[in-house]
């Protein structure tokens, strides 16, 4: 069906040029709102009616006449019907729909993937301060970011995953003083415990290991504690390294990887912050007032100008962000996406204004942002707000330990990023249709069970040779035998996969993959309820096994994209 759709779009383009040589209207198909109206809808006649000054229904009939002269429409289309004010409903021949099965099997893990387009994309996500364990909000970022990276890879992009460590500023100082207080024997609630200190048990763990002069390994560093209870700088460096190591373990458990960890502190040590400030001063985009240095962000649509350097000294937080994004641009990343919590909304205009004011050739609207809302955790019908380990929030590791990596990844990607999400721990543990990850994984396992039964019937050692052995035996299956309504519905859903990936990538919408998986699993479960697979008719059985194999392949492709496993047995 993929080839058929391609051929038909080319033919539609030729017909449009025949009717409207001056028009730049791109040939497109839409999906009808009701399946009874056909497989595709063409709205070009209504779009061209006004510029061509013609009646849309008359133009629609002329377009049908032109399309019927195209060989591709003769080959793949059963009927073209004029409807309403000028819609054209297109009904495919059965062989066009059935062609999706061999197309999926031929492409395998590459089904839905586009060729390399040469575009370099940087996605920055998680970027947690190294001041505590990763919380569930970081988990949502990790699930969103990793899935979005995988989506862009399916579209032929060269994707770079980056984690920005905010290892400079007041929070790091608070971490050092909190650890120092624990080293001195103080604890939360004591008279000498700092009011702004971090209260989680992890601070006591850091203090203990510091006094034991332990060595910790983070992504790019190794640090050994001196054990000196009064060396605040050594305490700070050890605590940061310790928590970066802990966050590495969280990300490893979540099966999220990064290509690069970028340190905020390096922007200062490498002189990039000062260079950026000087660029803005030289461009005439700053002014001094009340002892502070300001950026004229109102020149770029911000509601007021912003302080860059405070009167008491030190830069405001958006200044290193501007320097960091100039660095991204200089590294050749023309497409940059930042995934952050919705509380960062106010920084967008400031960062973009700074990048425009710097005059280094960065286009307007750079970078792109995906902002996500908070996650509420429910367990036993009640909201869970506090983790003993973290002290004030539920950690990502808590969530994984209470449920599973698969459940957390699927659940956190299953809603639009800009909507609040309630993570129901009890639901994530259920083994029924209400649990979406179980529902999808069970479809995969159910198909694998049928394929194992078929392999046993025809004498294929699937346990040793794997599903590839069945695929080889089905290479010449007569898919034209697939004529049941539930088979056509399942094949149509398989055919939607490549276009769904493209739309999801363009819309920064990895949740669309989760929606698609639920729909695909539903189409399979309906098929399972409607038809028998291991029938006496050998050719029909082979055709149905080919359809099941194609379905399991697409399930695997989509689950892998979301970082969720695809068990063969459940």
């Amino acid at each position: 069906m993929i080839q058929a759709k391609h051929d038909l779009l080319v033919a539609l383009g030729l017909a449009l040029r025949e009717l409207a040589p001056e028009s730049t209207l791109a040939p497109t198909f839409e999906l009808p709102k009701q399946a009874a109206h056909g497989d595709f809808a063409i709205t070009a006649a209504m779009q061209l009616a006004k510029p061509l000054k013609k009646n849309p229904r008359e133009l629609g009939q002329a377009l049908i006449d032109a399309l019927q002269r195209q060989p591709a429409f003769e080959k793949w289309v059963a009927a073209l019907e004029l409807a309403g004010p000028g819609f054209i409903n297109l009904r495919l021949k059965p062989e066009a729909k059935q062609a999706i099965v061999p197309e999926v099997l031929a492409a395998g893990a590459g089904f839905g993937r586009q060729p390399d387009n040469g575009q370099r994309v940087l996605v920055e996500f998680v970027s947690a301060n190294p001041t505590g364990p990763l919380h569930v909000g970081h988990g949502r970022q990790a699930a969103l970011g990793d899935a979005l990276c995988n989506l862009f890879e399916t579209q032929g992009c060269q994707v770079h995953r980056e984690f920005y460590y905010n290892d400079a500023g007041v929070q790091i100082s608070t971490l050092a003083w909190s650890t120092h207080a624990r080293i001195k024997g103080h604890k939360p609630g004591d008279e000498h415990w700092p009011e702004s200190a971090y209260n989680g048990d992890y601070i006591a763990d850091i203090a203990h290991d510091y006094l034991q002069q332990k060595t910790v390994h983070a992504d790019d560093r190794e640090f050994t504690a001196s054990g000196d209870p009064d060396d605040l700088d050594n305490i700070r460096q050890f605590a940061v390294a310790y928590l970066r190591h802990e966050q590495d373990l969280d990300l490893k458990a979540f099966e999220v990887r990064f290509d690069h960890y970028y340190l905020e502190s390096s922007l200062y040590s490498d002189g990039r912050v000062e260079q950026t400030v000087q660029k803005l001063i030289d461009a005439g985009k700053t002014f001094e007032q009340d002892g502070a240095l300001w950026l004229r962000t109102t020149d770029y649509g911000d509601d007021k100008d912003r302080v860059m350097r405070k009167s008491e000294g030190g830069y405001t937080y958006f200044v290193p962000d501007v320097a960091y994004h100039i660095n991204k641009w200089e590294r050749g990343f023309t497409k940059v996406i930042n995934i952050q919590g919705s509380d960062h909304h106010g920084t967008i205009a400031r960062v973009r204004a700074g990048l425009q004011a710097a005059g280094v050739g960065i286009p307007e609207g750079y970078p792109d942002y995906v902002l996500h809302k908070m996650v509420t955790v429910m367990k036993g019908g009640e909201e869970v707000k506090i983790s003993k380990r973290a002290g004030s929030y539920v950690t990502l590791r808590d969530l994984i330990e209470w449920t599973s990596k698969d459940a957390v990844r699927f659940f956190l990607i299953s809603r639009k990023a800009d909507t609040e999400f309630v993570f129901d721990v009890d639901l994530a543990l259920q083994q029924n249709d209400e649990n979406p990850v179980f529902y999808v994984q069970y479809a995969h396992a159910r198909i694998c069970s049928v394929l194992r039964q078929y392999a046993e019937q025809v004498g294929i050692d699937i346990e040793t040779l794997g599903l590839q052995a069945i695929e080889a035996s089905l290479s010449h299956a007569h898919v034209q035998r697939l004529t049941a309504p539930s088979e056509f519905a399942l094949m149509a859903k398989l055919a939607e996969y490549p276009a769904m990936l493209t739309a999801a990538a363009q819309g920064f919408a990895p949740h669309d993959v989760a929606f698609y998986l639920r729909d695909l699993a539903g189409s399979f479960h309906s098929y399972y309820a409607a038809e028998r697979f291991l029938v006496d008719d050998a050719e029909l059985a082979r055709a149905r096994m080919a359809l099941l194999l194609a379905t399991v392949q697409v399930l695997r492709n989509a689950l892998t994209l979301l970082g969720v496993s695809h068990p063969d047995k459940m």
Side-chain angles (χ1 to χ4, degrees):
M1 188 172 177
I2 304 303
Q3 186 62 51
K5 183 178 180 181
H6 174 269
D7 294 348
L8 293 172
L9 282 172
V10 171
L12 175 58
L14 294 173
L16 289 174
R17 281 198 291 274
E18 178 184 331
L19 286 183
E22 304 301 320
S23 173
T24 58
L25 183 65
T28 57
F29 293 140
E30 296 180 12
L31 292 177
K33 293 182 179 180
Q34 298 181 33
H37 291 168
D39 300 296
F40 296 122
I42 302 171
T43 60
M46 292 185 294
Q47 294 172 271
L48 290 173
K50 187 174 181 179
L52 294 181
K53 298 179 180 179
K54 292 186 177 181
N55 179 284
R57 279 189 65 87
E58 292 178 2
L59 196 56
Q61 187 56 56
L63 181 54
I64 287 176
D65 295 340
L67 290 172
Q68 288 176 335
R69 292 192 292 270
Q70 293 291 331
F73 273 73
E74 183 179 352
K75 178 180 180 180
W76 298 117
V77 176
L80 291 168
E81 302 162 355
L82 187 62
F87 289 103
I88 299 174
N89 292 328
L90 185 156
R91 299 181 188 277
L92 295 170
K93 291 181 178 179
E95 51 265 37
K97 304 175 186 180
Q98 295 155 345
I100 191 62
V101 175
E103 287 173 338
V104 172
L105 296 181
F111 180 68
R113 301 184 75 90
Q114 306 302 319
D116 189 341
N117 62 23
Q119 185 175 31
R120 301 183 70 219
V121 177
L122 185 151
V123 182
E124 179 208 328
F125 59 109
V126 182
S127 296
N129 297 328
T131 55
L134 297 181
H135 55 61
V136 292
H138 295 133
R140 191 172 195 184
Q141 277 197 39
L144 283 167
D146 194 51
L148 193 58
C149 288
N150 292 336
L151 265 177
F152 273 102
E153 286 177 342
T154 69
Q155 300 309 294
C157 298
Q158 300 167 26
V159 180
H160 182 85
R161 295 161 158 84
E162 190 151 293
F163 188 123
Y164 178 69
Y165 264 121
N166 297 282
D167 65 335
V170 66
Q171 291 175 311
I172 301 301
S173 177
T174 302
L175 172 66
W177 281 110
S178 302
T179 307
H180 179 262
R182 283 283 194 175
I183 289 170
K184 292 295 187 178
H186 305 303
K187 61 182 183 297
D190 289 354
E191 180 182 354
H192 298 290
W193 183 253
E195 184 177 347
S196 61
Y198 298 128
N199 297 328
D201 286 354
Y202 68 95
I203 298 294
D205 296 337
I206 298 171
H208 174 271
D209 285 4
Y210 179 82
L211 292 172
Q212 295 295 315
Q213 300 180 22
K214 290 190 176 181
T215 299
V216 290
H217 302 268
D219 51 273
D220 66 345
R221 67 172 67 180
E222 175 183 293
F223 193 85
T224 301
S226 69
D228 182 348
D230 296 313
D231 188 345
L232 193 63
D233 186 63
N234 196 268
I235 292 170
R236 177 186 61 79
Q237 292 187 65
F238 179 77
V240 168
Y242 183 101
L243 286 171
R244 287 180 62 183
H245 172 71
E246 286 293 300
Q247 291 178 358
D248 286 349
L249 295 178
D250 290 342
L251 293 168
K252 185 176 181 180
F254 210 41
E255 295 185 9
V256 171
R257 65 173 180 83
F258 289 90
D259 299 307
H260 186 221
Y261 292 83
Y262 199 105
L263 305 184
E264 180 187 5
S265 58
S266 73
L267 292 168
Y268 292 94
S269 61
D270 293 346
R272 289 189 174 276
V273 172
E274 289 295 339
Q275 292 165 16
T276 298
V277 172
Q278 193 59 50
K279 279 187 176 74
L280 295 169
I281 293 173
D282 293 344
K285 299 297 182 181
T286 64
F287 64 94
E288 293 200 27
Q289 181 179 307
D290 301 328
L293 182 68
W294 296 68
L295 180 65
R296 300 182 189 278
T297 55
T298 50
D299 290 354
Y300 302 94
D302 201 359
D303 58 347
K304 62 181 180 179
D305 295 327
R306 303 292 176 173
V307 173
M308 293 174 57
R309 187 173 59 230
K310 294 174 281 189
S311 57
E312 66 271 22
Y315 293 110
T316 53
Y317 61 90
F318 86 92
V319 178
D321 283 353
V322 174
Y324 177 39
H325 284 87
I326 291 175
N327 172 263
K328 290 179 180 180
W329 178 259
E330 291 174 345
R331 282 187 277 157
F333 293 107
T334 56
K335 182 79 170 178
V336 169
I337 303 161
N338 297 338
I339 300 178
Q340 298 176 335
S342 56
D343 56 328
H344 288 78
H345 183 271
T347 68
I348 297 175
R350 298 170 211 180
V351 171
R352 287 176 173 168
L355 294 173
Q356 292 301 297
V360 293
I362 296 176
E364 292 184 25
Y366 181 99
D368 289 305
Y369 287 85
V370 174
L371 302 182
H372 70 86
K373 291 193 176 179
M374 65 180 294
V375 178
T376 300
V377 179
M378 300 292 292
K379 190 177 182 182
E382 297 182 352
E383 182 179 352
V384 183
K385 294 184 178 181
I386 295 178
S387 160
K388 186 173 185 292
R389 180 168 177 265
S392 59
Y393 57 83
V394 178
T395 69
L396 173 60
R397 203 178 302 182
D398 289 334
L399 219 50
I400 294 172
E401 290 175 355
W402 292 341
T403 58
S404 68
K405 182 270 296 182
D406 284 346
V408 178
R409 293 221 25 172
F410 195 97
F411 273 50
L412 292 180
I413 206 70
S414 63
R415 294 288 185 275
K416 290 181 66 175
D418 61 359
T419 59
E420 292 187 3
F421 180 68
V422 176
F423 191 106
D424 188 332
V425 172
D426 300 321
L427 176 61
L429 293 173
Q430 290 180 19
Q431 296 189 3
N432 57 35
D433 293 355
E434 295 181 9
N435 179 349
V437 68
F438 176 85
Y439 185 68
V440 173
Q441 289 180 322
Y442 184 54
H444 184 276
R446 211 174 199 183
I447 295 172
C448 290
S449 174
V450 175
L451 291 172
R452 283 193 297 270
Q453 294 176 56
Y454 175 78
E456 185 177 347
Q457 281 189 4
V458 298
I460 297 175
D461 185 2
I462 192 174
E463 299 297 336
T464 303
L465 302 175
L467 291 179
Q468 297 87 341
I470 293 182
E471 184 176 345
S473 74
L474 299 176
S475 58
H476 299 294
H478 297 304
V479 294
Q480 64 267 28
R481 297 293 305 277
L482 301 172
T483 57
S486 56
E487 289 169 336
F488 279 124
L490 182 54
M491 289 185 287
K493 185 56 64 176
L494 294 176
E496 292 175 15
Y497 183 67
M500 180 278 298
L501 291 180
T502 298
Q506 292 173 345
F508 304 160
H511 62 275
D512 283 351
V513 182
F515 291 170
Y516 173 84
L517 275 167
R518 291 201 67 175
D519 288 346
L520 179 59
S523 293
F524 163 71
H525 288 307
S526 296
Y527 182 31
Y528 187 92
E531 303 293 338
R532 289 180 56 242
F533 303 132
L534 303 176
V535 294
D536 294 335
D537 184 332
E539 284 300 329
L540 179 58
R542 278 162 51 84
R544 288 181 171 171
M545 291 307 107
L547 175 55
L548 292 186
L549 199 59
T551 304
V552 92
Q553 182 66 68
V554 176
L555 284 169
R556 287 186 175 189
N557 292 0
L559 284 167
T560 299
L561 189 153
L562 296 185
V564 178
S565 69
H566 39 77
D568 293 348
K569 299 177 181 179
M570 292 180 70

